[in-house]
Amino acid sequence: MNPYLIAFICCVNDEKTYERHVAHVNRLHIPSGMAIELIPMYGAESMTKGYNRAMHRTGAKYKVYLHQDTYITNANFISDMIKVFRLDGNIGMLGVAGAVNVPATGTWWEGSPQYGKVEAVFQSYVYLHLGDVAQEYADVEAIDGVMMITQYDVEWDERIGGFHYYDISQSIRFRREGYRVVVPAQAAPWVFHYCLDDVDWNRYEQCRARFMQLYSWPF
């Protein structure tokens, strides 16, 4: 894989939202010798299928998987995330929010302790300050799918259909491969998630049931 290339990968179904996303990526400071590429995935049947297609389309060492309505607000994001990966070659994936222990429900945000910071808009603006990371990073069991950054490739589980629980399952798959999954310290949130309140909770529950079946959760 090309260690000087960063791929920004999104499943896209709203072009205007994605344009705002791209505008934020284009404002990032790109370290000397590094380059970026944008990989929008249109018409994906599921997040895992879209992400697998994108993963095989690029030779970038660093892949940033994030929602189309996630806007990177940390201008030094690229340098900051590469710095974390270089601290330990066993760090396979990092995210901006996650939990050390995922409960029997399979829902990471019901777990504890939690780490991370995210600015977001649901029905109104919220600043999610989940927990400070004391050192450079904190090891977690799972991270949230708002942003998932990798330096190694692990296949996404396409048995997880839809657009939920791809993040928990991928966190498990990375850890099964012997990689660490971490949340880095953030002086301020790295991203702003303009997600409103558009979750199909019926579909969410279907994905949760599928995840729990496939992964025999809880272990």
Side-chain angles (χ1 to χ4, degrees), residues 177-211:
E177 292 293 325
Y179 297 123
R180 301 171 72 181
V181 177
V182 308
V183 173
Q186 301 171 75
W190 286 5
V191 300
F192 176 77
H193 189 198
Y194 192 75
C195 56
L196 301 177
D197 190 18
D198 58 355
V199 177
D200 182 339
W201 290 107
N202 289 330
R203 184 58 178 152
Y204 176 90
E205 287 299 326
Q206 292 172 7
C207 292
R208 185 168 77 93
R210 181 64 170 156
F211 162 78

Side-chain angles (χ1 to χ4, degrees), residues 73-150:
T73 53
N74 173 15
N76 293 314
F77 164 76
I78 295 174
S79 296
D80 288 347
M81 67 93 170
I82 291 176
K83 178 182 177 181
V84 175
F85 282 126
R86 288 178 176 170
L87 290 171
D88 187 337
N90 286 325
I91 297 176
M93 183 166 65
L94 63 88
V96 294
V100 175
N101 298 297
V102 178
T105 61
T107 303
W108 80 260
W109 64 79
E110 295 175 352
S112 65
Q114 298 177 5
Y115 293 108
K117 300 176 182 178
V118 180
E119 286 187 289
V121 170
F122 299 109
Q123 293 180 336
S124 60
Y125 171 83
V126 293
Y127 174 30
L128 300 173
H129 187 170
L130 303 174
D132 288 319
V133 176
Q135 304 298 323
E136 288 89 355
Y137 56 83
D139 286 274
V140 295
E141 189 168 24
I143 57 174
D144 186 75
V146 66
M147 172 183 276
M148 306 177 74
I149 313 159
T150 67

Side-chain angles (χ1 to χ4, degrees), residues 3-19:
Y4 305 105
L5 183 62
I6 306 102
F8 291 83
I9 296 167
C10 282
C11 291
V12 179
N13 65 4
D14 185 313
E15 195 62 37
K16 289 185 178 180
T17 298
Y18 182 64
E19 286 175 2

